[in-house]
Amino acid sequence: EEARLLCEILDMDVEAAKKKAAFAAVDEFVQSGMKIGVGSGSTVVYAVERLKQKKDQGELKDLVCVPTSFQSTILLMQAGLTTGEPTQYPELDVAIDGADEVDMKMNCIKGGGACQLQEKIVAACAKKFVVIADYRKEAKTLGEKWKKGVPIEVVPMAYKLLCLRCEKLGGKPVLRMAKNKAGPVVTDNGNFVIDCDFGLIEDPSSLNTKLQLIPGVVEVGLFCGMAVKAFFGQKDGSVTTRVAS
């Protein structure tokens, strides 16, 4: 019972931290008339909540939101926010998204929710890419806290090839399996995801390049040199930030 209560308190801490980070990022970066990228995952839920609040209060007008997944499309539609596609809006003012881990140089691991392809496209469309996360995602080096590995989206027929190549690069690849479906996770684009543990990643940019060159790889969940600022909600209710140097 005590353990369950502790877990519930921790969950409340984490959710409060996510909300603080998301609200701070929206307040700082989003203005009326903007075209914004809206990421995927549990922290982005709070960013959408804040966008809706500010729109309903008349503080934000004429926004267009470009989602990065089926999940964020539904969130935005439920919030009554106008949505668009990257094909319509290839240039965005800002993209706001979560991350699984952020290092001191603002490199990120993303793709825990298997949306890294659309997330990277939308982040690349944006003049500024901003990360929102809770205190558990803040690290010195990638792989320090996030132990599930780098998510790599791959064409199904190439997943075995990718696993072999990952092993040659010193990684431990695992085909991500679905929770409420028999067999593997299938992305919004009909591909598989390999989670590959490379331990501590001292040079994420170099690893990203090596993985991208493997035939059949669609996208790698390493976002290097993309984020301009990260907001981390802390346990004590404060928000700390990291800026790209």
Side-chain angles (χ1 to χ4, degrees):
E1 182 64 20
E2 234 171 76
R4 188 181 62 80
L5 282 170
L6 274 173
C7 283
E8 279 180 16
I9 290 164
L10 179 65
D11 285 348
M12 280 161 64
D13 274 356
V14 169
E15 291 310 311
K18 289 177 185 178
K19 186 171 184 170
K20 282 269 169 67
F23 276 41
V26 169
D27 290 352
E28 184 173 328
F29 280 94
V30 183
Q31 293 169 0
S32 291
M34 278 189 167
K35 295 165 184 68
I36 63 170
V38 176
S40 306
S42 57
T43 311
V44 171
V45 172
Y46 297 111
V48 174
E49 183 185 321
R50 187 61 169 162
L51 290 170
K52 177 177 165 41
Q53 261 181 23
K54 296 189 89 167
K55 173 183 161 278
D56 291 349
Q57 288 161 5
E59 289 177 54
L60 285 177
K61 294 174 181 150
D62 306 319
L63 282 185
V64 177
C65 301
V66 175
T68 57
S69 64
F70 191 68
Q71 178 227 6
S72 48
T73 303
I74 299 298
L75 274 176
L76 291 165
M77 283 165 60
Q78 286 172 341
L81 293 157
T82 305
T83 59
E85 296 278 328
T87 45
Q88 294 169 280
Y89 303 102
E91 290 183 317
L92 303 171
D93 296 292
V94 65
I96 297 175
D97 203 350
D100 300 307
E101 192 171 40
V102 185
D103 74 8
M104 291 303 282
K105 293 178 181 168
M106 299 285 286
N107 299 304
C108 307
I109 291 179
K110 289 178 53 51
C115 307
Q116 63 268 34
L117 172 61
Q118 295 101 303
E119 286 172 350
K120 204 179 262 194
I121 290 167
V122 170
C125 289
K127 289 173 195 158
K128 292 174 180 173
F129 173 51
V130 178
V131 171
I132 51 176
D134 63 76
Y135 53 88
R136 302 169 306 165
K137 312 299 175 67
E138 205 175 355
K140 282 199 175 86
T141 308
L142 294 183
E144 178 192 317
K145 292 186 178 177
W146 179 255
K147 299 298 184 187
K148 295 180 184 176
V150 176
I152 309 163
E153 185 161 344
V154 61
V155 173
M157 71 178 287
Y159 95 89
K160 281 285 195 190
L161 169 68
L162 173 59
C163 287
L164 290 170
R165 294 287 178 92
C166 280
E167 285 168 0
K168 282 186 181 168
L169 291 171
K172 295 176 189 152
V174 176
L175 176 63
R176 191 184 299 182
M177 302 307 283
K179 288 280 193 296
N180 295 315
K181 161 195 171 288
V185 163
V186 178
T187 68
D188 287 359
N189 319 296
N191 298 312
F192 289 172
V193 176
I194 298 294
D195 292 302
C196 192
D197 180 5
F198 291 99
L200 288 176
I201 304 168
E202 300 294 346
D203 189 352
S205 183
S206 163
L207 179 60
N208 180 52
T209 303
K210 286 173 185 165
L211 292 170
Q212 295 276 10
L213 291 171
I214 299 166
V217 166
V218 180
E219 195 47 82
V220 178
L222 288 168
F223 287 49
C224 305
M226 296 184 83
V228 296
K229 191 165 185 175
F231 292 78
F232 298 101
Q234 300 297 333
K235 266 184 189 170
D236 64 4
S238 66
V239 176
T240 58
T241 59
R242 252 181 215 175
V243 184
S245 52

